[in-house]
Amino acid sequence: NKTHGRNLRRATPIIWMAWFGSSFGLSSFGVFLPKFMSSKNIHISSVYGDALILAIASFPGPFIGAYLVETHRFGRRYTMTISGFCISLCILLFIFLENEIGLVSLACLISLLTQVWYAGLMCFTPEAYPTDIRTTA
């Protein structure tokens, strides 16, 4: 079908950029978080303890994302749009904040919103393609 080809040529690079950008950007945030905190004179006492805090904070994210992608008010696209905008805003605030409680709170919120973003992206990706080619890999 000609319309499938034209739409897929436009949708596929956009989806690839969303996956690459979120995987690279959000993973880099987690990797460089200790270095960034130490640059603000906040010394992390336990890397494992902080990882546990971020993991606990992000735990409800997939459930919130699963709920939002199925609502008529948000759906897949608005869930990704709103969570992506909120992640960007939190990272911008994170750069300028100086106190430890604020930085840890924002890092937890970013972890939570990341899971909401991925829930939307994981639902949106296969549905962007026609049923006859979804499982052809």
Side-chain angles (χ1 to χ4, degrees), residues 21-87:
S22 60
S23 298
F24 181 74
L26 298 170
S27 297
S28 297
F29 175 78
V31 168
F32 291 112
L33 183 61
K35 184 156 182 77
F36 185 78
M37 296 282 254
S38 66
S39 74
K40 296 227 180 204
N41 292 325
I42 297 171
H43 300 287
I44 299 171
S45 58
S46 167
V47 174
Y48 297 114
D50 290 334
L52 179 65
I53 290 170
L54 293 177
I56 290 170
S58 66
F59 180 75
F63 300 107
I64 295 168
Y67 173 75
L68 291 176
V69 297
E70 291 300 326
T71 61
H72 294 292
R73 187 171 187 173
F74 289 100
R76 281 110 173 102
R77 289 183 183 177
Y78 286 124
T79 298
M80 291 188 321
T81 302
I82 292 168
S83 62
F85 176 76
C86 290
I87 290 169

